[in-house]
mmCIF file of all heavy atoms in Angstrom:
data_model
loop_
_atom_site.group_PDB
_atom_site.id
_atom_site.type_symbol
_atom_site.label_atom_id
_atom_site.label_comp_id
_atom_site.label_asym_id
_atom_site.label_seq_id
_atom_site.Cartn_x
_atom_site.Cartn_y
_atom_site.Cartn_z
ATOM 1 N N ARG A 255 7.241 -3.867 -5.216
ATOM 2 C CA ARG A 255 6.881 -5.122 -5.888
ATOM 3 C C ARG A 255 8.033 -5.632 -6.743
ATOM 4 O O ARG A 255 8.383 -6.820 -6.708
ATOM 5 C CB ARG A 255 5.645 -4.895 -6.756
ATOM 6 C CG ARG A 255 5.174 -6.131 -7.524
ATOM 7 C CD ARG A 255 4.207 -5.732 -8.619
ATOM 8 N NE ARG A 255 4.869 -4.860 -9.610
ATOM 9 C CZ ARG A 255 4.202 -4.133 -10.497
ATOM 10 N NH1 ARG A 255 2.882 -4.134 -10.525
ATOM 11 N NH2 ARG A 255 4.864 -3.383 -11.363
ATOM 12 N N ASP A 256 8.644 -4.733 -7.505
ATOM 13 C CA ASP A 256 9.698 -5.147 -8.437
ATOM 14 C C ASP A 256 10.921 -5.699 -7.723
ATOM 15 O O ASP A 256 11.608 -6.584 -8.255
ATOM 16 C CB ASP A 256 10.099 -3.971 -9.325
ATOM 17 C CG ASP A 256 8.992 -3.529 -10.278
ATOM 18 O OD1 ASP A 256 7.991 -4.267 -10.406
ATOM 19 O OD2 ASP A 256 9.130 -2.448 -10.883
ATOM 20 N N PHE A 257 11.213 -5.192 -6.522
ATOM 21 C CA PHE A 257 12.398 -5.635 -5.799
ATOM 22 C C PHE A 257 12.066 -6.559 -4.622
ATOM 23 O O PHE A 257 12.960 -6.937 -3.857
ATOM 24 C CB PHE A 257 13.198 -4.424 -5.314
ATOM 25 C CG PHE A 257 13.840 -3.658 -6.438
ATOM 26 C CD1 PHE A 257 13.294 -2.457 -6.872
ATOM 27 C CD2 PHE A 257 14.964 -4.149 -7.084
ATOM 28 C CE1 PHE A 257 13.873 -1.753 -7.914
ATOM 29 C CE2 PHE A 257 15.554 -3.452 -8.128
ATOM 30 C CZ PHE A 257 15.003 -2.248 -8.562
ATOM 31 N N GLY A 258 10.794 -6.930 -4.486
ATOM 32 C CA GLY A 258 10.396 -7.883 -3.456
ATOM 33 C C GLY A 258 10.561 -7.379 -2.041
ATOM 34 O O GLY A 258 10.956 -8.132 -1.143
ATOM 35 N N LEU A 259 10.223 -6.089 -1.826
ATOM 36 C CA LEU A 259 10.418 -5.484 -0.512
ATOM 37 C C LEU A 259 9.081 -5.094 0.113
ATOM 38 O O LEU A 259 8.180 -4.625 -0.584
ATOM 39 C CB LEU A 259 11.286 -4.231 -0.643
ATOM 40 C CG LEU A 259 12.738 -4.477 -1.059
ATOM 41 C CD1 LEU A 259 13.369 -3.181 -1.532
ATOM 42 C CD2 LEU A 259 13.538 -5.077 0.098
ATOM 43 N N PRO A 260 8.949 -5.224 1.431
ATOM 44 C CA PRO A 260 7.730 -4.758 2.111
ATOM 45 C C PRO A 260 7.687 -3.241 2.149
ATOM 46 O O PRO A 260 8.710 -2.562 1.963
ATOM 47 C CB PRO A 260 7.855 -5.352 3.512
ATOM 48 C CG PRO A 260 9.333 -5.452 3.724
ATOM 49 C CD PRO A 260 9.928 -5.784 2.382
ATOM 50 N N VAL A 261 6.502 -2.700 2.417
ATOM 51 C CA VAL A 261 6.314 -1.251 2.464
ATOM 52 C C VAL A 261 5.858 -0.816 3.854
ATOM 53 O O VAL A 261 5.102 -1.516 4.522
ATOM 54 C CB VAL A 261 5.295 -0.778 1.401
ATOM 55 C CG1 VAL A 261 5.857 -0.965 0.009
ATOM 56 C CG2 VAL A 261 3.961 -1.499 1.529
ATOM 57 N N LEU A 262 6.335 0.352 4.267
ATOM 58 C CA LEU A 262 5.893 0.993 5.503
ATOM 59 C C LEU A 262 4.976 2.130 5.083
ATOM 60 O O LEU A 262 5.436 3.137 4.534
ATOM 61 C CB LEU A 262 7.091 1.517 6.294
ATOM 62 C CG LEU A 262 8.231 0.517 6.527
ATOM 63 C CD1 LEU A 262 9.369 1.173 7.306
ATOM 64 C CD2 LEU A 262 7.735 -0.730 7.242
ATOM 65 N N THR A 263 3.667 1.970 5.315
ATOM 66 C CA THR A 263 2.687 2.869 4.717
ATOM 67 C C THR A 263 2.093 3.840 5.725
ATOM 68 O O THR A 263 1.714 3.462 6.835
ATOM 69 C CB THR A 263 1.546 2.085 4.049
ATOM 70 O OG1 THR A 263 0.924 1.235 5.007
ATOM 71 C CG2 THR A 263 2.063 1.259 2.886
ATOM 72 N N HIS A 264 1.980 5.076 5.291
ATOM 73 C CA HIS A 264 1.331 6.166 6.016
ATOM 74 C C HIS A 264 -0.124 6.189 5.542
ATOM 75 O O HIS A 264 -0.379 6.336 4.343
ATOM 76 C CB HIS A 264 2.056 7.464 5.658
ATOM 77 C CG HIS A 264 1.551 8.685 6.331
ATOM 78 N ND1 HIS A 264 2.128 9.226 7.460
ATOM 79 C CD2 HIS A 264 0.520 9.519 6.023
ATOM 80 C CE1 HIS A 264 1.502 10.328 7.813
ATOM 81 N NE2 HIS A 264 0.506 10.538 6.959
ATOM 82 N N VAL A 265 -1.065 6.046 6.465
ATOM 83 C CA VAL A 265 -2.472 5.848 6.064
ATOM 84 C C VAL A 265 -3.402 6.829 6.777
ATOM 85 O O VAL A 265 -4.553 6.491 7.082
ATOM 86 C CB VAL A 265 -2.922 4.391 6.319
ATOM 87 C CG1 VAL A 265 -2.133 3.419 5.460
ATOM 88 C CG2 VAL A 265 -2.776 4.000 7.803
ATOM 89 N N ARG A 266 -2.943 8.065 7.007
ATOM 90 C CA ARG A 266 -3.750 9.002 7.782
ATOM 91 C C ARG A 266 -4.969 9.459 6.980
ATOM 92 O O ARG A 266 -4.852 10.112 5.948
ATOM 93 C CB ARG A 266 -2.909 10.207 8.216
ATOM 94 C CG ARG A 266 -3.647 11.111 9.195
ATOM 95 C CD ARG A 266 -2.718 11.952 10.058
ATOM 96 N NE ARG A 266 -1.903 12.875 9.279
ATOM 97 C CZ ARG A 266 -1.264 13.920 9.818
ATOM 98 N NH1 ARG A 266 -1.329 14.153 11.130
ATOM 99 N NH2 ARG A 266 -0.537 14.713 9.066
ATOM 100 N N ARG A 267 -6.146 9.078 7.491
ATOM 101 C CA ARG A 267 -7.426 9.345 6.844
ATOM 102 C C ARG A 267 -7.443 8.865 5.386
ATOM 103 O O ARG A 267 -8.083 9.468 4.528
ATOM 104 C CB ARG A 267 -7.790 10.827 6.928
ATOM 105 C CG ARG A 267 -8.028 11.282 8.367
ATOM 106 C CD ARG A 267 -8.714 12.615 8.439
ATOM 107 N NE ARG A 267 -8.896 13.020 9.843
ATOM 108 C CZ ARG A 267 -9.374 14.194 10.221
ATOM 109 N NH1 ARG A 267 -9.746 15.084 9.326
ATOM 110 N NH2 ARG A 267 -9.497 14.484 11.508
ATOM 111 N N SER A 268 -6.762 7.768 5.130
ATOM 112 C CA SER A 268 -6.627 7.295 3.749
ATOM 113 C C SER A 268 -6.562 5.777 3.647
ATOM 114 O O SER A 268 -6.068 5.241 2.664
ATOM 115 C CB SER A 268 -5.357 7.894 3.125
ATOM 116 O OG SER A 268 -4.195 7.498 3.843
ATOM 117 N N GLN A 269 -7.078 5.085 4.663
ATOM 118 C CA GLN A 269 -6.937 3.634 4.675
ATOM 119 C C GLN A 269 -7.508 2.979 3.419
ATOM 120 O O GLN A 269 -6.871 2.120 2.794
ATOM 121 C CB GLN A 269 -7.609 3.041 5.921
ATOM 122 C CG GLN A 269 -6.892 3.321 7.213
ATOM 123 C CD GLN A 269 -7.399 4.566 7.901
ATOM 124 O OE1 GLN A 269 -8.145 5.360 7.329
ATOM 125 N NE2 GLN A 269 -7.014 4.767 9.153
ATOM 126 N N ASP A 270 -8.720 3.354 3.045
ATOM 127 C CA ASP A 270 -9.359 2.708 1.903
ATOM 128 C C ASP A 270 -8.625 3.002 0.605
ATOM 129 O O ASP A 270 -8.491 2.122 -0.259
ATOM 130 C CB ASP A 270 -10.824 3.152 1.785
ATOM 131 C CG ASP A 270 -11.702 2.590 2.896
ATOM 132 O OD1 ASP A 270 -11.327 1.556 3.494
ATOM 133 O OD2 ASP A 270 -12.765 3.185 3.168
ATOM 134 N N GLN A 271 -8.152 4.233 0.469
ATOM 135 C CA GLN A 271 -7.451 4.595 -0.762
ATOM 136 C C GLN A 271 -6.110 3.869 -0.871
ATOM 137 O O GLN A 271 -5.732 3.407 -1.948
ATOM 138 C CB GLN A 271 -7.248 6.113 -0.823
ATOM 139 C CG GLN A 271 -8.536 6.899 -0.941
ATOM 140 C CD GLN A 271 -9.139 7.245 0.422
ATOM 141 O OE1 GLN A 271 -8.778 6.668 1.458
ATOM 142 N NE2 GLN A 271 -10.049 8.214 0.424
ATOM 143 N N VAL A 272 -5.373 3.775 0.245
ATOM 144 C CA VAL A 272 -4.119 3.024 0.226
ATOM 145 C C VAL A 272 -4.394 1.560 -0.103
ATOM 146 O O VAL A 272 -3.691 0.943 -0.913
ATOM 147 C CB VAL A 272 -3.368 3.166 1.560
ATOM 148 C CG1 VAL A 272 -2.180 2.213 1.614
ATOM 149 C CG2 VAL A 272 -2.889 4.605 1.764
ATOM 150 N N LEU A 273 -5.424 1.013 0.506
ATOM 151 C CA LEU A 273 -5.783 -0.381 0.231
ATOM 152 C C LEU A 273 -6.081 -0.613 -1.245
ATOM 153 O O LEU A 273 -5.691 -1.639 -1.814
ATOM 154 C CB LEU A 273 -7.003 -0.776 1.065
ATOM 155 C CG LEU A 273 -6.737 -1.274 2.475
ATOM 156 C CD1 LEU A 273 -8.038 -1.295 3.279
ATOM 157 C CD2 LEU A 273 -6.118 -2.671 2.439
ATOM 158 N N LYS A 274 -6.764 0.333 -1.866
ATOM 159 C CA LYS A 274 -7.085 0.194 -3.285
ATOM 160 C C LYS A 274 -5.816 0.012 -4.118
ATOM 161 O O LYS A 274 -5.730 -0.891 -4.967
ATOM 162 C CB LYS A 274 -7.854 1.422 -3.766
ATOM 163 C CG LYS A 274 -8.180 1.421 -5.257
ATOM 164 C CD LYS A 274 -8.800 2.726 -5.698
ATOM 165 C CE LYS A 274 -7.763 3.842 -5.761
ATOM 166 N NZ LYS A 274 -8.304 5.093 -6.344
ATOM 167 N N HIS A 275 -4.824 0.844 -3.853
ATOM 168 C CA HIS A 275 -3.590 0.769 -4.634
ATOM 169 C C HIS A 275 -2.779 -0.475 -4.277
ATOM 170 O O HIS A 275 -2.170 -1.096 -5.155
ATOM 171 C CB HIS A 275 -2.779 2.039 -4.423
ATOM 172 C CG HIS A 275 -3.472 3.274 -4.910
ATOM 173 N ND1 HIS A 275 -3.831 3.465 -6.230
ATOM 174 C CD2 HIS A 275 -3.900 4.387 -4.255
ATOM 175 C CE1 HIS A 275 -4.421 4.635 -6.374
ATOM 176 N NE2 HIS A 275 -4.491 5.203 -5.182
ATOM 177 N N VAL A 276 -2.773 -0.849 -3.006
ATOM 178 C CA VAL A 276 -2.079 -2.070 -2.585
ATOM 179 C C VAL A 276 -2.681 -3.290 -3.288
ATOM 180 O O VAL A 276 -1.952 -4.165 -3.774
ATOM 181 C CB VAL A 276 -2.153 -2.216 -1.052
ATOM 182 C CG1 VAL A 276 -1.828 -3.640 -0.619
ATOM 183 C CG2 VAL A 276 -1.214 -1.218 -0.379
ATOM 184 N N ARG A 277 -3.987 -3.357 -3.354
ATOM 185 C CA ARG A 277 -4.647 -4.495 -3.990
ATOM 186 C C ARG A 277 -4.345 -4.564 -5.481
ATOM 187 O O ARG A 277 -4.231 -5.654 -6.061
ATOM 188 C CB ARG A 277 -6.158 -4.404 -3.770
ATOM 189 C CG ARG A 277 -6.607 -4.749 -2.364
ATOM 190 C CD ARG A 277 -8.028 -4.324 -2.137
ATOM 191 N NE ARG A 277 -8.597 -4.830 -0.900
ATOM 192 C CZ ARG A 277 -9.651 -4.306 -0.296
ATOM 193 N NH1 ARG A 277 -10.241 -3.228 -0.818
ATOM 194 N NH2 ARG A 277 -10.113 -4.822 0.827
ATOM 195 N N GLN A 278 -4.197 -3.407 -6.104
ATOM 196 C CA GLN A 278 -3.945 -3.388 -7.536
ATOM 197 C C GLN A 278 -2.497 -3.733 -7.874
ATOM 198 O O GLN A 278 -2.238 -4.453 -8.841
ATOM 199 C CB GLN A 278 -4.301 -2.015 -8.105
ATOM 200 C CG GLN A 278 -5.798 -1.723 -8.109
ATOM 201 C CD GLN A 278 -6.114 -0.297 -8.525
ATOM 202 O OE1 GLN A 278 -5.231 0.540 -8.685
ATOM 203 N NE2 GLN A 278 -7.403 0.000 -8.691
ATOM 204 N N ILE A 279 -1.560 -3.248 -7.074
ATOM 205 C CA ILE A 279 -0.144 -3.407 -7.408
ATOM 206 C C ILE A 279 0.495 -4.596 -6.686
ATOM 207 O O ILE A 279 1.421 -5.216 -7.197
ATOM 208 C CB ILE A 279 0.603 -2.088 -7.122
ATOM 209 C CG1 ILE A 279 0.029 -0.999 -8.042
ATOM 210 C CG2 ILE A 279 2.106 -2.239 -7.316
ATOM 211 C CD1 ILE A 279 0.557 0.393 -7.780
ATOM 212 N N ARG A 280 0.015 -4.911 -5.518
ATOM 213 C CA ARG A 280 0.397 -6.112 -4.775
ATOM 214 C C ARG A 280 1.880 -6.177 -4.422
ATOM 215 O O ARG A 280 2.607 -7.071 -4.877
ATOM 216 C CB ARG A 280 -0.021 -7.368 -5.545
ATOM 217 C CG ARG A 280 -1.517 -7.464 -5.738
ATOM 218 C CD ARG A 280 -1.929 -8.781 -6.358
ATOM 219 N NE ARG A 280 -3.369 -8.875 -6.498
ATOM 220 C CZ ARG A 280 -4.019 -9.927 -6.985
ATOM 221 N NH1 ARG A 280 -3.323 -10.997 -7.379
ATOM 222 N NH2 ARG A 280 -5.320 -9.942 -7.072
ATOM 223 N N PRO A 281 2.341 -5.263 -3.589
ATOM 224 C CA PRO A 281 3.691 -5.417 -3.038
ATOM 225 C C PRO A 281 3.695 -6.605 -2.081
ATOM 226 O O PRO A 281 2.627 -7.065 -1.659
ATOM 227 C CB PRO A 281 3.899 -4.107 -2.282
ATOM 228 C CG PRO A 281 2.517 -3.733 -1.834
ATOM 229 C CD PRO A 281 1.611 -4.137 -2.976
ATOM 230 N N PRO A 282 4.886 -7.095 -1.719
ATOM 231 C CA PRO A 282 4.943 -8.271 -0.842
ATOM 232 C C PRO A 282 4.733 -7.922 0.630
ATOM 233 O O PRO A 282 5.582 -8.176 1.484
ATOM 234 C CB PRO A 282 6.338 -8.827 -1.097
ATOM 235 C CG PRO A 282 7.140 -7.636 -1.480
ATOM 236 C CD PRO A 282 6.209 -6.733 -2.230
ATOM 237 N N GLY A 283 3.577 -7.344 0.937
ATOM 238 C CA GLY A 283 3.239 -7.077 2.328
ATOM 239 C C GLY A 283 3.887 -5.836 2.878
ATOM 240 O O GLY A 283 4.481 -5.030 2.148
ATOM 241 N N GLY A 284 3.747 -5.667 4.184
ATOM 242 C CA GLY A 284 4.301 -4.497 4.841
ATOM 243 C C GLY A 284 3.550 -4.185 6.115
ATOM 244 O O GLY A 284 2.930 -5.065 6.728
ATOM 245 N N ILE A 285 3.580 -2.912 6.490
ATOM 246 C CA ILE A 285 2.972 -2.451 7.742
ATOM 247 C C ILE A 285 2.119 -1.219 7.469
ATOM 248 O O ILE A 285 2.577 -0.276 6.806
ATOM 249 C CB ILE A 285 4.050 -2.109 8.790
ATOM 250 C CG1 ILE A 285 4.856 -3.366 9.165
ATOM 251 C CG2 ILE A 285 3.424 -1.488 10.043
ATOM 252 C CD1 ILE A 285 6.080 -3.074 10.010
#
């Protein structure tokens, strides 16, 4: 977020938990 970069996220059995943190911190998108 601070440097305006997208994130490449590992979401194995953790989709909802990753989403929770993404929604709170709001990086500029990713995969």
Side-chain angles (χ1 to χ4, degrees):
R255 179 195 63 195
D256 293 349
F257 291 103
L259 293 164
V261 292
L262 310 179
T263 57
H264 181 98
V265 296
R266 188 157 62 163
R267 295 194 181 174
S268 61
Q269 289 93 348
D270 290 338
Q271 294 89 344
V272 171
L273 274 166
K274 177 186 74 173
H275 297 299
V276 163
R277 286 166 170 160
Q278 290 173 352
I279 297 174
R280 298 187 178 181
I285 297 170

